[in-house]
Amino acid sequence: MKHIKTSFAAILLLLLLSACGNSSVEKVIVAGSTSVQPYAEVLAEEFSILVPDSEVDVQGGGSSAGISAAEDNTADIGMSSRGLKDSEMDLWHIEIAKDGLVMIVNPANSVSDLTLEQIRGIYTKSIGNWSELGGTDAKIHVIAREEGSGTRDAFESLIMGGEWVTPKAIIQNSNGAVKQIVSSDPNAIGFISLGLADSDVKVLNLDGVTPSGENVKNGLYSLYRPFLFVSSRPPEGAVKRFIDFTCSAEGQKLLADEGLIPMEGN
């Protein structure tokens, strides 16, 4: 869905003019993907400074939960880190950024590069030892996200090719939890958002390509997914102002600074 991007200063001026004489606080509830959540919190913090008569409450719960919350109006905005299913396409939605999906291992792991086929083999358990991949003789500890997670859906659609993730995988309910386990286990492997990867973990190349925002943009790195805001109807009032801020040059720069790939034109 197209959205006009403009300077938030202009939006703010209109907001202040329309809010004259109204001292009530307008609350916006944003819920859903735990992958999108930390970035929405950054946006909400800046928005509250620029627009002090608005309050944005950001909650987690997962992509499917966020979409459901938008459908039944228990949240003003649902956050999703996966594309919408056919049954969900009637919802109002906008892509706020793209996010690279990266495979991570412990910094002590000597493996630096995997192919899609090797990753699929690890997650189906047809590959079970790091020595099969040029690493040490040690059992691979497979870490995955829970069912209903947008990150899990993206991983399955981009990598698994219809095959099932092994039931022996250790399941975690957030990217942060996956990263924490991998950072403390030299034999673990997991997948998280590119923007959340740091020196606590080692990011693997894919078929020799380094995961980066630039390589997503130029088409060299194929593992990425959309970050969406979803609503049951076209947004109005404070909800629209928060989305307008997210899509403005200022909001997109905040997301880019946090490691996401901004919308085209930013």
Side-chain angles (χ1 to χ4, degrees):
M1 178 172 293
K2 285 191 173 182
H3 193 94
I4 297 173
K5 297 185 287 292
T6 185
S7 169
F8 191 65
I11 299 170
L12 180 58
L13 177 59
L14 291 174
L15 169 66
L16 294 174
L17 291 174
S18 63
C20 289
N22 182 4
S23 59
S24 63
V25 173
E26 293 184 279
K27 187 170 184 178
V28 178
I29 298 176
V30 183
S33 168
T34 56
S35 297
V36 183
Q37 183 180 359
Y39 304 104
E41 288 171 347
V42 170
L43 291 165
E45 182 178 359
E46 183 66 19
F47 185 74
S48 68
I49 295 171
L50 296 170
V51 189
D53 65 344
S54 292
E55 177 185 343
V56 180
D57 180 14
V58 181
Q59 307 165 10
S63 292
S64 294
I67 291 169
S68 295
E71 286 178 317
D72 61 24
N73 293 306
T74 55
D76 299 298
I77 300 171
M79 300 179 289
S80 177
S81 55
R82 63 166 173 80
L84 297 184
K85 300 174 182 177
D86 289 343
S87 61
E88 301 163 342
M89 289 300 293
D90 59 331
L91 292 168
W92 185 94
H93 59 280
I94 187 169
E95 181 178 305
I96 63 167
K98 286 182 173 65
D99 176 48
L101 188 69
V102 295
M103 305 305 304
I104 57 169
V105 295
N106 188 276
N109 196 317
S110 61
V111 173
S112 298
D113 190 295
L114 292 176
T115 66
L116 286 177
E117 291 75 16
Q118 288 172 329
I119 298 169
R120 192 179 304 121
I122 292 169
Y123 275 82
T124 58
K125 276 294 186 179
S126 64
I127 297 175
N129 195 292
W130 284 111
S131 62
E132 299 175 68
L133 303 166
T136 59
D137 182 12
K139 181 180 177 181
I140 300 174
H141 299 159
V142 179
I143 317 299
R145 289 293 306 276
E146 77 282 10
E147 294 284 353
S149 154
T151 306
R152 170 72 173 259
D153 285 349
F155 177 81
E156 290 179 338
S157 65
L158 293 169
I159 293 176
M160 295 306 293
E163 298 193 59
W164 295 101
V165 170
T166 173
K168 295 182 179 180
I170 300 168
I171 303 300
Q172 296 298 309
N173 63 5
S174 71
N175 280 342
V178 172
K179 187 174 78 168
Q180 183 175 6
I181 286 182
V182 173
S183 69
S184 62
D185 182 351
N187 299 317
I189 186 170
F191 50 89
I192 64 170
S193 295
L194 170 61
L196 296 180
D198 57 25
S199 60
D200 290 338
V201 293
K202 179 180 179 179
V203 175
L204 298 180
N205 292 341
L206 177 68
D207 290 310
V209 178
T210 301
S212 69
E214 188 59 34
N215 282 339
V216 168
K217 286 182 179 180
N218 62 29
L220 291 176
Y221 188 76
S222 60
L223 301 186
Y224 62 90
R225 56 348 188 344
F227 275 2
L228 305 178
F229 276 175
V230 180
S231 181
S232 64
R233 56 188 178 275
E236 300 176 342
V239 177
K240 183 178 187 299
R241 289 191 286 272
F242 179 63
I243 294 174
D244 284 343
F245 169 65
T246 298
C247 297
S248 70
E250 292 90 336
Q252 290 291 293
K253 184 177 185 304
L254 281 175
L255 295 178
D257 288 346
E258 294 294 323
L260 295 184
I261 299 97
M263 298 161 58
E264 290 184 17
N266 286 279

